[in-house]
Amino acid sequence: MKGFCVAAVFLTGAVLGGLDAFADPPPIRSLRLIGASPDAHDPAPTAFVIDARLKPGDGEFQSTLEGWFAAIAAPTGSGEVTGTCVEKRCALTVDLDGSKLALTGDFADASGSVPARFVLKDDQDKPVQNGAATLSPLPGAVPGLGALAAPDAIDEADFDDLLMWAHETVSAGSAPSDPIPSSYQHEALAAWQQEKGRLATGLIFAADLDQLRAERAAATTRAGWTPLGDAAHGWSGGYPAALLPKVDPAGAEQRYASADGKARLVVSVDPPMSSDAFDAFVETATADRPGRDHVNTTRVNSDMEFRFEEHGVVTVAAYHNREGGLARLVLTYPAARSDTFEPFEVILQRQFKVGDDLKR
């Protein structure tokens, strides 16, 4: 019996050791720091905030760091943060406009003020400044600017939607799907902040999200934004009914027009195309030809968005080719009415969402 107990202990230890090998990796955690570099001078920032995330790295004690950096006092500057940490020791870099800032220090688990060092390099990668800095956990609101939104307050897709309705530039290509906003979105937010007369940090403040959401609600109401689509058929969208009040059903097509009939929107799910046929269609549809100007085309695999102006008419389109059909959205309007319709071009394209389960 005694021998059995010893064997059981050894077996238990082996099982527990095996379970440890399959333990979940450390969770992603937020790292929000406020910093100062009193030795710095223009263009190096003297006061700044880092809003980043620590993610498990390749090694047992290693983690990667990514997020956003912004100066909160003159000289201003902001940019994407990338870096690595080994235990509490971290090294990060920030791409500023025409220069690169590096920060090193033991700040991965900072509970109070910790010393750090900064190096600023020019566009030729030559060091032009270096000196001491301090970093501390951000205790609450950013002084003079307000409280940051919670780390999980908004994802990339919803942030894109807010920025579109604010008529800020959003990235082209694949639909946004990350749980956190991209650096491109931080840059667009900085432009919006500047337009509002605020410090253009690109940091996501709670008050900014509240205002952007309120502005989106007001804008959708003014436009008479009306949902389109059929979840059972794998697609969704919307359109500004206040600008396109005339509904003209035509078989499989859904047609909408302005009161004078000069602006038109057509939405349809057509028969699917083979990959080669879609390639040929894209090549023909986007080909240069006399009289066609302001051409803008984005294609990612079986998805395409494009815009052009021809003979005084603007055409804005989105196509999504799937096994079950070809989803098509085409807006045409007189170029003379760009002030009215251009703000809705990207919104119409990006709100036209098509899944792999698309069917006619």
Side-chain angles (χ1 to χ4, degrees):
M1 178 66 73
K2 185 180 295 185
F4 172 80
C5 291
V6 171
V9 170
F10 284 144
L11 178 59
T12 302
V15 171
L16 290 176
L19 290 176
D20 287 343
F22 294 97
D24 291 335
I28 297 173
R29 63 183 179 89
S30 176
L31 182 67
R32 288 179 163 178
L33 302 169
I34 187 166
S37 46
D39 296 338
H41 54 85
D42 196 0
T46 58
F48 52 87
V49 165
I50 297 169
D51 185 8
R53 290 153 301 283
L54 278 172
K55 302 165 62 176
D58 295 332
E60 183 178 357
F61 302 107
Q62 184 182 9
S63 55
T64 60
L65 189 152
E66 59 184 36
W68 191 252
F69 172 101
I72 55 173
T76 59
S78 59
E80 184 178 16
V81 169
T82 58
T84 58
C85 299
V86 178
E87 295 188 323
K88 63 182 179 180
R89 186 72 175 176
C90 298
L92 64 82
T93 59
V94 184
D95 287 322
L96 300 174
D97 186 17
S99 59
K100 185 170 289 187
L101 179 71
L103 280 166
T104 56
D106 297 341
F107 50 80
D109 295 312
S111 58
S113 179
V114 297
R117 298 290 299 179
F118 79 89
V119 176
L120 184 72
K121 295 183 178 181
D122 62 16
D123 57 1
Q124 302 299 314
D125 207 34
K126 295 179 180 178
V128 292
Q129 284 188 57
N130 67 82
T134 58
L135 292 168
S136 305
L138 183 65
V142 178
L145 296 175
L148 295 179
D152 59 353
I154 192 165
D155 61 19
E156 190 183 19
D158 192 30
F159 204 20
D160 235 28
D161 195 61
L162 289 179
L163 292 168
M164 283 191 298
W165 281 102
H167 307 306
E168 298 297 339
T169 303
V170 295
S171 59
S174 301
S177 59
D178 286 346
I180 57 173
S182 67
S183 59
Y184 195 96
Q185 291 174 326
H186 282 280
E187 292 172 0
L189 178 64
W192 178 84
Q193 290 167 336
Q194 187 170 32
E195 291 166 7
K196 299 298 180 182
R198 303 173 190 169
L199 189 65
T201 64
L203 294 168
I204 304 174
F205 292 97
D208 288 344
L209 288 186
D210 289 343
Q211 183 171 349
L212 283 165
R213 286 169 173 148
E215 290 180 355
R216 177 176 63 183
T220 55
T221 299
R222 286 193 304 271
W225 191 257
T226 302
L228 291 174
D230 182 353
H233 286 77
W235 71 275
S236 63
Y239 78 103
L243 301 181
L244 302 168
K246 296 173 65 176
V247 180
D248 181 21
E253 292 186 340
Q254 299 183 37
R255 297 182 178 182
Y256 310 90
S258 58
D260 61 6
K262 294 183 178 180
R264 295 182 176 275
L265 174 69
V266 177
V267 183
S268 180
V269 179
D270 302 326
M273 291 185 178
S274 69
S275 179
D276 289 344
F278 188 68
D279 289 344
F281 165 73
V282 171
E283 185 174 353
T284 301
T286 62
D288 289 336
R289 60 190 185 212
R292 177 178 281 191
D293 298 310
H294 309 297
V295 179
N296 189 351
T297 304
T298 301
R299 180 183 176 184
V300 178
N301 300 323
S302 58
D303 301 314
M304 180 184 69
E305 297 173 353
F306 76 104
R307 177 197 194 274
F308 62 87
E309 184 177 332
E310 191 171 23
H311 305 307
V313 176
V314 175
T315 298
V316 179
Y319 291 88
H320 302 282
N321 192 37
R322 302 289 187 268
E323 288 186 7
L326 173 67
R328 168 171 57 99
L329 177 148
V330 181
L331 170 70
T332 57
Y333 67 84
R337 297 177 64 182
S338 290
D339 288 349
T340 299
F341 288 96
E342 188 172 359
F344 292 95
E345 291 180 3
V346 174
I347 295 172
L348 282 164
Q349 289 176 323
R350 298 302 171 81
Q351 291 277 7
F352 190 46
K353 299 175 182 178
V354 177
D356 291 336
D357 58 344
L358 177 71
K359 55 187 176 183
R360 304 185 68 200

